[in-house]
Amino acid sequence: MGTTQLETVPEPKYWHLRTVLSEALESEFSVGEILPNERDLAARFGVARATLRQALEQLELEGRLQRRRGVGTTVAPPRVGVAVGTEQHAWPGAGEDGWQATDSALAVPPATVADALVTGAEDPVHIVRRSRVTHGQPVAAELLYVPQSSVPDLSAIDAPSGAARARAVLRELQRLELEGQESAVELGSARADEARELDRLTGAPVLVVTTRYLAHGRTAALSVATYRADTCRLTFGDTGGVEIHQDPERRAS
Amino acid sequence: MGTTQLETVPEPKYWHLRTVLSEALESEFSVGEILPNERDLAARFGVARATLRQALEQLELEGRLQRRRGVGTTVAPPRVGVAVGTEQHAWPGAGEDGWQATDSALAVPPATVADALVTGAEDPVHIVRRSRVTHGQPVAAELLYVPQSSVPDLSAIDAPSGAARARAVLRELQRLELEGQESAVELGSARADEARELDRLTGAPVLVVTTRYLAHGRTAALSVATYRADTCRLTFGDTGGVEIHQDPERRAS
């Protein structure tokens, strides 16, 4: 096989196939079109089924393909830009942001959340569940953790749970003066409940956005939002108008 | 197997193992520790090697494990927070931001970049290559596309290529008045050259940050930066201090 260079890691076979398939998607298929079945594709490109499957998984990860039960593999539409950061800070639920509050319960949060909120490890907090829909598609699921001290006037009497309760928590939260907010984005995988809400399989890659809302010099609320990584592009900044398609080949110089 | 509910998708076996392993990592192992080999692990948890491998891959994706050639599988340190957005906008290369310019060349960019820059499809632009190192670890690789019209006074005579040329392009760019910048984050996979620079394998998941720099009412430069998804958490906002560890279990309510 000739000489081997110390620094050279050979390109995996599936990666080469991925590149070839990617070009075929662009020249031969249109958005929404169903791909031939795996056996036919493997035969056409002269590869083993396992290699083909790896390449398809890769293209799914990159948002180029969608695999749906009962439908098959289709060419994905371009990712949807979803605005995450805005120039002016705002409490969750303030204004029209595409989020819908669906439930709220008082429960002890995970230890790391309790740390961030500086509540006691055993102190229950309000956990508001929200979901975000864009163009009729579920794009994100959120758990918003609100310490009881952030919403001291919330009455336990009316709407003890459900969407009405969730809205009441948000309304009370909005009475605080928001001093700042900061977010972090990282790669994660969907828990079973998130996966169901996002119409994905458990373990599917997601983009996790953690946002800390600051008031009175402390963290008044903490949001952990899980975005579909296959269909979403998270935008930060003035207009959210970065319209670059992210096929790695197209990123090549 | 009892009744089946319409909405119930059974939890895959590897996901259950992933959860069990995740707990074992926390209680029995410390950061940097090498895990037992796959055969021993599979025997201990009573699963097939294929299932074990899927669970390990999942934990690697989530940044809990690292797999390195010649070392084996080790427990990963917590992800490093890397500031991406800042309150005040700034040109790339202005101030100490951990980026190092390594090369620059004049070349025709990919079609989508040319579209965003509103240059002609065949017009060469300056392509500056930069890399970002945090705590001695490579965390990101960037291609910065700068139309020639953004740096009209750049002289072709001195430093025609290399790091010196790259710094000259950035210096000229900084003479423009920056009107705004906007970013988008999405999931991608590392090209061979990026993978090499980031010390990863080709196709490894990365977080792709596209930033558009605006001056004179148009896009004066476009950056496509590729961050390691396993080790990085991208922070946006005032202080970048969101210190929530992102184990999905810990996100559970």
Side-chain angles (χ1 to χ4, degrees), chain B residues 70-190:
Chain B
V71 177
T73 302
T74 57
V75 180
R79 282 177 173 158
V80 176
V82 183
V84 172
T86 48
E87 285 299 288
Q88 67 277 46
H89 296 152
W91 286 112
E96 277 301 316
D97 56 4
W99 284 101
Q100 199 162 11
T102 56
D103 200 7
S104 180
L106 203 57
V108 175
T112 45
V113 171
D115 280 358
L117 293 175
V118 205
T119 53
E122 300 300 321
D123 289 352
V125 303
H126 299 284
I127 304 179
V128 175
R129 199 177 271 276
R130 298 197 303 161
S131 63
R132 187 172 181 172
V133 171
T134 300
H135 303 307
Q137 289 264 334
V139 293
E142 180 199 49
L143 293 179
L144 179 72
Y145 300 94
V146 182
Q148 296 185 71
S149 58
S150 294
V151 288
D153 297 334
L154 185 72
S155 147
I157 299 160
D158 74 341
S161 69
R165 179 68 171 182
R167 286 192 297 271
V169 173
L170 296 179
R171 208 163 45 230
E172 284 300 310
L173 190 58
Q174 288 160 20
R175 291 170 57 167
L176 289 177
E177 197 188 331
L178 181 62
E179 285 161 2
Q181 71 190 58
E182 45 194 38
S183 297
V185 182
E186 64 190 302
L187 181 61
S189 47

Side-chain angles (χ1 to χ4, degrees), chain A residues 77-134:
Chain A
R79 281 176 173 159
V80 176
V82 183
V84 173
T86 47
E87 285 300 288
Q88 66 276 44
H89 296 153
W91 286 112
E96 277 301 317
D97 56 3
W99 285 100
Q100 199 161 13
T102 56
D103 201 7
S104 180
L106 203 58
V108 176
T112 45
V113 171
D115 280 358
L117 293 175
V118 205
T119 54
E122 299 302 321
D123 290 352
V125 303
H126 298 286
I127 304 180
V128 175
R129 199 177 271 276
R130 298 198 303 161
S131 63
R132 186 172 182 172
V133 171
T134 300

Side-chain angles (χ1 to χ4, degrees), chain A residues 185-187, chain B residues 60-63 65-68 74 76-77 79-82 99 132-134 136-141 186-190 194-201 204-209 225-234:
Chain A
V185 182
E186 64 190 302
L187 181 61
Chain B
E60 194 185 9
L61 177 94
E62 292 167 18
L65 292 177
Q66 283 181 318
R67 290 204 278 183
R68 285 175 293 180
T74 57
R79 282 177 173 158
V80 176
V82 183
W99 284 101
R132 187 172 181 172
V133 171
T134 300
Q137 289 264 334
V139 293
E186 64 190 302
L187 181 61
S189 47
E194 293 166 342
R196 214 161 27 238
E197 203 170 328
L198 298 175
D199 194 17
R200 303 288 295 153
L201 294 176
V206 289
L207 295 171
V208 181
V209 181
T226 303
Y227 287 80
R228 283 183 64 151
D230 56 338
T231 55
C232 292
R233 203 179 64 239
L234 308 182

